[in-house]
Amino acid sequence: FPQYKMENLENVLGFTKKCAYNRIVPAPILATKLYIPPHRANIVLRPRLIERLNEGLLRKLTLVSTPAGFGKTTLLSEWIAASRRPAAWLSLDEGDNDLVRFWSHFIAALQVLDARTGTGELSALQSPQPPAIESILTSLLNEIVSTPQDFILVLDDYHAVDSRQIDNALTFLIERLPP
């Protein structure tokens, strides 16, 4: 996370323990899910696709969909590297079909940009009796829209998520974003 303060990373990951070799063990967020893949040298530049992604900044959602191996992740990391907007990244996998895990990581990705974002919502989400997800997302949405600067959030490999509950919750959030 070279462009972000280390204290934001520590807050996001919930560093609580040191283990052997004096390394810090994060819990419960998996840090590597939040890394923006580095921009690689010697890649095929795709200025037309980068321009299309820039046009998508005027919309609430841009979907990049191609078969595996066609360079979606590389394209998005290249775009972020060239962008002037702050960006957060969340790499998804089959384990993210769990509602609490998905939204915990989603909030953690936002916290890379601002460690204060979603702290109350994260606590509510992880409580023994969490409120309805729409209630948590309404509160989170209010925080997102009060952010002074527009930002990019990439949900990489969203196709790995196969949960109607998560699809519906994400739809709830996206539909209520301001124009």
Side-chain angles (χ1 to χ4, degrees):
F1 300 97
Q3 68 264 47
Y4 303 108
K5 297 178 182 175
M6 188 59 185
E7 59 265 17
N8 279 6
L9 180 58
E10 290 173 356
N11 289 335
V12 167
L13 298 177
F15 289 120
T16 57
K17 298 180 184 176
K18 289 198 176 195
C19 67
Y21 309 110
N22 204 29
R23 290 190 179 153
I24 297 174
V25 178
I29 302 299
L30 180 59
T32 56
K33 294 174 77 61
L34 306 178
Y35 282 55
I36 298 173
H39 180 71
R40 297 187 216 161
N42 302 325
I43 61 168
V44 175
L45 298 177
R46 297 177 275 181
R48 186 181 64 77
L49 294 176
I50 296 292
E51 184 55 37
R52 297 279 314 267
L53 288 169
N54 286 331
E55 291 168 7
L57 291 171
L58 302 174
R59 296 177 187 87
K60 296 178 186 185
L61 173 71
T62 298
L63 176 67
V64 178
S65 177
T66 66
F70 276 66
K72 297 175 294 293
T73 298
T74 302
L75 172 67
L76 291 169
S77 68
E78 176 188 343
W79 175 54
I80 286 172
S83 175
R84 290 186 166 84
R85 289 193 187 196
W89 189 281
L90 176 55
S91 295
L92 298 165
D93 56 50
E94 292 80 14
D96 295 307
N97 284 306
D98 176 77
L99 187 72
V100 171
R101 177 179 160 140
F102 177 89
W103 288 106
S104 294
H105 281 87
F106 185 98
I107 291 169
L110 294 176
Q111 288 177 336
V112 170
L113 300 173
D114 182 346
R116 300 167 297 186
T117 301
T119 54
E121 293 80 2
L122 193 55
S123 294
L125 187 64
Q126 296 176 345
S127 70
Q129 295 282 327
I133 192 65
E134 290 81 8
S135 175
I136 292 171
L137 294 180
T138 297
S139 180
L140 181 62
L141 184 58
N142 288 335
E143 288 189 42
I144 290 170
V145 298
S146 69
T147 303
Q149 188 174 10
D150 289 340
F151 60 88
I152 297 166
L153 173 61
V154 172
L155 301 178
D156 192 31
D157 291 331
Y158 187 79
H159 68 274
V161 175
D162 186 22
S163 166
R164 175 67 66 202
Q165 196 176 21
I166 291 171
D167 290 345
N168 290 342
L170 193 56
T171 299
F172 175 89
L173 186 76
I174 292 168
E175 287 179 346
R176 285 156 181 82
L177 286 170

